[in-house]
Amino acid sequence: RYRISTSDDDVVDDVERLWDDSVVEAENDVLGLSLSFLGLQACRFLVIGELPDAEGRVHQQLSRGIIATEIASLLLLDVLWVLETAAAFIAAQRWEKQQMRKVKEAKKAIFSPRQRSDAQLLQEEHGERQNRLYKEVESTRTSYVGRALSIALSWGMMSTAWTSLFLTKDVLAYFGMVNKDGILVKIVLALLVSFLACGLVFGLD
């Protein structure tokens, strides 16, 4: 990404920095999405004995006992994912604060006249100093620890969402809605998610 950003004028401007941030965020989201869905389907395979298809559907007729076992397993997984997400969020916040202090120190060392003479500042172009600061920020933001924490946070949040979705489907199927992939179940799920999202928005706001 740095090579592409500096290929035209050897300077990383604000637009290119914003593009770089968007690419990193998209990569982390894709990893979290794929890991969460595949991991959950593997867990469901261990419980029900059949690997769900690409949409998470199971084609064999499941007994109430197997559905109840899957509900209990998904409920436990949901709790574990919430704990993992909370732990990853706390660790990411602490790591980010630590890296921000390092970036501030690097910025002072690069731009502060007290650290460099006027002759040195005149000899060094502003774009070069910007690139040095960009490299410092990039090295802290895209380090293995930072990327791992970001992916773990995305993985935990998306795993919680997937688990809650299939848990709700199984609960509805357990209480009489045999075709849990039918239109009625989808309408009920949409209403439940909408009310839950509105409640969380107002509660957290």
Side-chain angles (χ1 to χ4, degrees), residues 3 19 23 43 77 97 109 145 153-154 160 167 181 185 192 199:
R3 180 178 58 83
W19 167 79
V23 171
C43 293
L77 276 177
K97 290 180 180 179
V145 177
L153 182 59
S154 177
T160 304
L167 175 62
D181 295 313
V185 175
L192 289 176

Side-chain angles (χ1 to χ4, degrees), residues 4-49:
I4 295 176
S5 298
T6 57
S7 60
D8 53 350
D9 54 1
D10 294 330
V11 176
V12 181
D13 54 27
D14 294 336
V15 176
E16 292 166 338
R17 190 173 294 108
L18 181 61
W19 167 79
D20 187 43
D21 292 339
S22 301
V23 171
V24 172
E25 184 178 358
E27 290 174 351
N28 295 342
D29 289 342
V30 169
L31 282 172
L33 180 63
S34 58
L35 288 174
S36 61
F37 185 78
L38 293 176
L40 178 61
Q41 302 316 313
C43 293
R44 294 180 65 205
F45 171 70
L46 292 176
V47 175
I48 62 180

Side-chain angles (χ1 to χ4, degrees), residues 20 51-52 90 96 122 138 161 191 203:
D20 187 43
L51 184 64
I90 294 173
E96 185 177 356
L122 290 175
E138 183 72 5
L191 290 174

Side-chain angles (χ1 to χ4, degrees), residues 146-162:
R147 291 298 296 273
L149 289 174
S150 180
I151 293 171
L153 182 59
S154 177
W155 182 23
M157 290 188 295
M158 293 184 182
S159 295
T160 304
W162 283 119

Side-chain angles (χ1 to χ4, degrees), residues 48-69:
I48 62 180
E50 178 185 349
L51 184 64
D53 61 13
E55 297 181 2
R57 294 178 297 187
V58 179
H59 298 285
Q60 70 175 358
Q61 187 69 30
L62 300 179
S63 63
R64 286 176 61 88
I66 296 180
I67 295 177
T69 303

